[in-house]
Amino acid sequence: MKYKVKRKQQVSKGCFICGTENHESLKTKFYELENNELMSISTPTPTHQSYPDRMHGGIISAILDEVIGRSIMILEPGAWGVTVELNIKYKKPVPLSKQVKATARITRNTRLIFEGTGEILLEDGTVAATAYAKYVKMPIEKLIQDTGGDMSLMIDDETPSPEEVEY
Ligand SMILES: CCCCCCCC/C=C\CCCCCCCC(=O)SCCNC(=O)CCNC(=O)[C@H](O)C(C)(C)COP(=O)(O)OP(=O)(O)OC[C@H]1O[C@@H](n2cnc3c(N)ncnc32)[C@H](O)[C@@H]1OP(=O)(O)O
């Protein structure tokens, strides 16, 4: 199915997944879709390798953690959480030489916690990994208090986004 991109999410400067100023980052971009799912597109490099030409499983889990954790912003803009549970199933190797897509959605949302599921998709649409994750909600002010509450750490994604995506 094809889905229209409704909104680009902000990215950060320092994050390992989306950080624009973190040299080891996957420079992942996040697109909110018309079906209320979130799609991420990551650009892995040899830094993210496990066996030759195979993405490290820990990196795969980090992508899934972030794409599920950010899905809450579709339902509740301004909501943030910290991961308290993450379960991954690795089904196919993920090559390093190509962009990696992931999709995610929220499956449960309460005052204190939220849960969601996500998948890593290969170029031909094959599901390479699946995930379930749970988060405890936490105000952003508390999450960044050690950095002096610097909200400029989150910035607009200025890169062009696709108008629609297919999966
Ligand atoms: C300007 C901004 C710049 C920001 C840049 C950001 C860039 C990224 C952008 C966007 C990202 C969005 C995506 C995020 C994805 C990635 C997130 C991560 O990687 S987070 C790192 C890994 N996870 C942790 O570090 C948590 C570590 N754990 C803890 O800190 C504590 O365990 C904590 C705070 C969760 C709870 O601990 P307690 O000491 O406060 O209290 P207790 O008694 O253990 O629990 C209190 C309540 O918490 C819930 N709770 C805790 N653990 C739970 C669990 N496993 N399941 C369900 N509920 C749980 C329960 O409701 C509990 O309440 P009852 O006591 O049961 O009444």
Side-chain angles (χ1 to χ4, degrees), residues 9-15 18 30 62 65-73 79-85 112-114 134-136 138 140 142-144 147 149-154:
Q9 287 195 348
Q10 285 194 310
V11 289
S12 80
K13 291 185 183 170
C15 175
C18 65
F30 296 89
D65 184 13
E66 182 138 344
V67 71
I68 300 170
R70 278 171 169 267
S71 301
I72 191 65
M73 296 175 190
W80 299 76
V82 290
T83 318
V84 292
E85 286 181 39
L112 295 176
I113 63 147
F114 60 93
K134 182 191 278 187
Y135 305 79
V136 167
M138 202 170 280
I140 190 65
K142 187 170 177 193
L143 282 165
I144 62 171
T147 65
D150 185 1
M151 283 306 286
S152 74
L153 296 172
M154 286 300 277

Side-chain angles (χ1 to χ4, degrees), residues 36 40 52-53 79 85 95 100 112 130 132 137 152 167:
N36 276 352
S40 72
D53 199 34
E85 286 181 39
V100 175
L112 295 176
T130 62
Y132 154 82
K137 289 182 180 174
S152 74
Y167 63 94

Side-chain angles (χ1 to χ4, degrees), residues 54-112:
R54 187 183 290 243
M55 191 184 283
H56 198 287
I59 309 288
I60 291 169
S61 76
I63 294 172
L64 286 163
D65 184 13
E66 182 138 344
V67 71
I68 300 170
R70 278 171 169 267
S71 301
I72 191 65
M73 296 175 190
I74 298 177
L75 300 184
E76 248 185 81
W80 299 76
V82 290
T83 318
V84 292
E85 286 181 39
L86 180 61
N87 183 286
I88 311 285
K89 290 183 181 161
Y90 299 99
K91 295 168 176 287
K92 303 277 179 204
V94 179
L96 282 171
S97 46
K98 304 183 168 104
Q99 286 193 333
V100 175
K101 285 185 179 148
T103 45
R105 79 288 311 161
I106 296 300
T107 53
R108 183 165 173 242
N109 183 22
T110 74
R111 192 169 54 84
L112 295 176

